[in-house]
Amino acid sequence: MYTIMVCEYLHNTNLLSPDLGQKLRKKIVTKNNNRNKIILDFAGYDYMSSSFLNQALGYILINKKWSIREFKKNIKWINVNKDDKLDFDLALENARNKLRLIQNNIDPEKFFREHLPAC
Amino acid sequence: MANIIKIEKILKPTSQYPIQNILLDTNIIINYEDPFGSVAPNLNAKISQYINVLKSHYTINSIFVTALEYFNYIQVGFYNVFVDTHEGTFEKYSSKEFKQLRNKNSEFAASWNLHLKSFVRTFKKHFPPFDTTREIYSLTVIQNFDGNKVDFGDEILYQYAMKLSYPVILTMDKDFKSYPDELNLIQL
């Protein structure tokens, strides 16, 4: 079991940019490759964006071709506001959909352009 | 033409704009919430950052019509994404099919439930509708609506904004520029 203090590691309490998400993902993957289960401790964060979560967590699910259940067996999170927990589930759900598209040789960006209503 | 204000200007501590409420257009909420993980990451991060800073200075609201437009976006988008990623067939959105899947397919129902919870949170906590007691849906609004410049949702948002002491909308939609200069648009 390996705990990452997210805000300390990223030196930031505003978890908004995709770059920060990528940096966290690299750390998670390195530690998880040693078969450690990872605990992400979000104590002290102020804000969190969807793009941060997609980069930090979503792309792990996609790259490892995990199911959501496998993901949750390997990676857990604590000290997340009740309201924001929903964003974690949505990030994994969206990553699973993207993985399905990629496995069917469909480019997710093109897919979304064609399948989502104009806004 | 509507008055354009660069967002950096209203975020300055010396800002002279008498803004109290800022109304959000649907495209801003979609790019902020990113319900399908489809928004360009840098755009989502930029909008999230601006919204968080704006929230610390001003009251930010949606309106009911925006909630309706957003709901339509997630409902149609969710159906299209689910059907094609799970069943490999692209069926155009059908409300009848949507209801059937929701009632018979537990995976569909569980995923949709996540989006519904997120929808409620968006409009209950993040961007509550502005002044829900005000009734602006008079027939005059419909009679005077020029559908060639903006869509009807934009028109209602404009009508609400004009009820503010300082009418201002945060949007990425250039159509709003066609309104007179009493309306202020915050540009990202």
Side-chain angles (χ1 to χ4, degrees):
Chain A
M1 195 83 84
Y2 184 86
T3 301
I4 301 173
M5 299 302 295
V6 175
C7 294
E8 275 179 31
Y9 176 66
L10 297 174
H11 302 293
N12 211 319
T13 57
N14 292 329
L15 309 177
L16 298 175
S17 86
D19 296 347
L20 288 177
Q22 277 178 25
K23 187 177 173 187
L24 178 60
R25 183 190 350 137
K26 282 179 187 165
K27 178 80 170 175
I28 296 169
V29 169
T30 307
K31 293 299 174 186
N32 181 251
N33 281 345
N34 301 329
R35 300 195 180 280
N36 278 320
K37 296 209 186 312
I38 305 293
I39 295 182
L40 301 172
D41 188 334
F42 285 88
Y45 81 98
D46 290 318
Y47 301 112
M48 195 180 289
S49 75
S50 150
S51 51
F52 170 82
L53 286 176
N54 291 336
Q55 289 294 330
L57 307 184
Y59 276 97
I60 294 176
L61 185 147
I62 292 171
N63 295 339
K64 289 194 177 275
K65 300 182 175 60
W66 277 344
S67 64
I68 292 177
R69 182 179 285 190
E70 282 173 304
F71 186 99
K72 287 185 172 176
K73 267 187 191 171
N74 281 277
I75 300 166
K76 298 182 188 306
W77 44 88
I78 58 173
N79 289 320
V80 174
N81 293 341
K82 193 180 160 201
D83 270 352
D84 293 339
K85 284 181 181 168
L86 186 54
D87 292 322
F88 285 69
D89 288 332
L90 279 171
L92 296 183
E93 185 87 4
N94 289 334
R96 189 188 57 177
N97 285 338
K98 280 185 195 165
L99 176 59
R100 282 192 171 129
L101 293 171
I102 293 165
Q103 287 173 330
N104 289 319
N105 296 318
I106 299 169
D107 172 17
E109 277 186 33
K110 185 169 180 276
F111 175 86
F112 288 128
R113 269 199 309 275
E114 290 170 354
H115 287 66
L116 294 180
C119 64
Chain B
M1 188 179 137
N3 181 41
I4 310 290
I5 306 169
K6 286 205 169 174
I7 195 161
E8 289 80 7
K9 283 193 174 176
I10 62 166
L11 292 178
K12 281 183 184 168
T14 53
S15 165
Q16 298 296 311
Y17 297 99
I19 296 172
Q20 288 181 328
N21 299 70
I22 295 174
L23 300 187
L24 295 184
D25 194 9
T26 318
N27 52 46
I28 296 289
I29 299 178
I30 289 171
N31 287 318
Y32 173 85
E33 295 288 350
D34 190 13
F36 303 108
S38 61
V39 175
N42 286 331
L43 177 63
N44 170 263
K46 184 177 161 185
I47 289 182
S48 301
Q49 190 178 3
Y50 281 136
I51 293 282
N52 292 330
V53 179
L54 284 172
K55 270 186 167 180
S56 64
H57 290 71
Y58 309 104
T59 304
I60 301 204
N61 291 111
S62 62
I63 61 168
F64 260 112
V65 169
T66 303
L68 188 65
E69 285 182 345
Y70 184 80
F71 185 83
N72 181 60
Y73 175 84
I74 59 166
Q75 188 176 36
V76 174
F78 173 74
Y79 175 89
N80 290 349
V81 171
F82 186 93
V83 169
D84 210 353
T85 53
H86 289 70
E87 299 180 7
T89 54
F90 180 47
E91 305 274 340
K92 222 175 176 185
Y93 174 77
S94 133
S95 59
K96 189 179 161 196
E97 287 292 324
F98 184 95
K99 284 174 192 166
Q100 279 182 355
L101 275 169
R102 191 185 57 197
N103 294 335
K104 290 180 182 168
N105 185 322
S106 59
E107 197 181 351
F108 182 96
S111 297
W112 173 239
N113 203 34
L114 272 182
H115 283 278
L116 266 186
K117 281 183 186 167
S118 173
F119 169 78
V120 171
R121 183 191 58 178
T122 298
F123 291 96
K124 189 177 172 188
K125 299 208 166 164
H126 293 174
F127 313 117
F130 168 72
D131 195 355
T132 52
T133 59
R134 197 186 296 272
E135 183 55 74
I136 66 155
Y137 302 110
S138 72
L139 269 179
T140 324
V141 172
I142 296 174
Q143 280 163 356
N144 295 338
F145 170 58
D146 175 0
N148 293 314
K149 290 180 181 167
V150 295
D151 69 33
F152 193 62
D154 297 341
E155 174 68 18
I156 298 291
L157 186 59
Y158 164 74
Q159 294 287 344
Y160 265 104
M162 294 313 290
K163 305 287 181 194
L164 299 173
S165 56
Y166 186 82
V168 63
I169 295 173
L170 175 57
T171 179
M172 296 169 69
D173 186 348
K174 289 174 182 167
D175 290 351
F176 281 96
K177 287 181 182 175
S178 64
Y179 285 112
D181 62 3
E182 290 91 345
L183 176 67
N184 300 284
L185 300 176
I186 300 173
Q187 195 175 57
L188 295 179

